[in-house]
Amino acid sequence: MKTQDEGHMRRAIELARAQHGRTGQNPSVGCVIVGPDGRRISEGATADGGRPHAEEMALGPLQGRGAKGAIAYVTLEPCRERTNGESACSKRLIEAGVSRVVIAVMDKHPKGSGGKAAIEAAGISVETGLCEAEAAALYEDFFASLA
């Protein structure tokens, strides 16, 4: 399972890397959704200009409930709140019915941080730190801009 988890997270990092520098003030995030059978069913990255977010891009093709029981691999903690008032990524994952969320890097943005806690409060298993060193480089400038 650990090797499969790493492979899926590395794919999420590839997606985020491909968008790095194209997402405006938002960080470039990658998200891979894996079905209960262990196969990737969708993926996405933060769009040009910073919206939609990666989780929204990955969940969109699944028509809402298509992710029931799935695992989401996300390079940065799913946001707790959106600056534009849309549904937060943590809420989208909860509503989609995922059974587990694996996060590489925890968010330091005041509206981003807390997504993990919201997901856990909904009874969903969350793991953090997978491929963290590899993903962290993507967020150095973003976190520095928050200071």
Side-chain angles (χ1 to χ4, degrees):
M1 182 75 143
K2 188 71 167 171
T3 303
Q4 289 177 341
D5 283 346
E6 288 176 6
H8 296 309
M9 185 60 81
R10 286 205 167 89
R11 175 61 184 152
I13 292 168
E14 283 176 27
L15 293 166
R17 227 181 246 132
Q19 281 298 96
H20 194 69
R22 302 172 55 117
T23 59
Q25 293 181 349
N26 283 352
S28 179
V29 177
C31 178
V32 171
I33 309 287
V34 176
D37 62 358
R39 292 184 305 144
R40 288 184 197 146
I41 57 174
S42 192
E43 58 185 34
T46 307
D48 288 354
R51 288 191 174 75
H53 288 184
E55 298 89 338
E56 189 175 353
M57 296 290 286
L59 290 170
L62 299 176
Q63 305 285 325
R65 300 306 283 179
K68 189 163 183 60
I71 301 170
Y73 296 85
V74 189
T75 59
L76 185 66
E77 178 183 14
C79 61
R80 170 188 50 82
E81 180 178 341
R82 297 277 289 265
T83 57
N84 64 359
E86 290 183 16
S87 284
C89 293
S90 55
K91 183 177 180 182
R92 290 173 191 270
L93 290 168
I94 293 164
E95 289 174 349
V98 299
S99 63
R100 183 171 159 235
V101 178
V102 182
I103 302 166
V105 176
M106 296 301 291
D107 200 345
K108 297 177 185 176
H109 189 283
K111 290 190 180 235
S113 65
K116 173 186 180 277
I119 294 166
E120 288 175 326
I124 298 169
S125 170
V126 179
E127 295 168 38
T128 62
L130 182 66
C131 301
E132 182 176 13
E134 197 174 331
L138 293 167
Y139 306 112
E140 288 174 358
D141 291 342
F142 175 67
F143 290 154
S145 74
L146 300 176

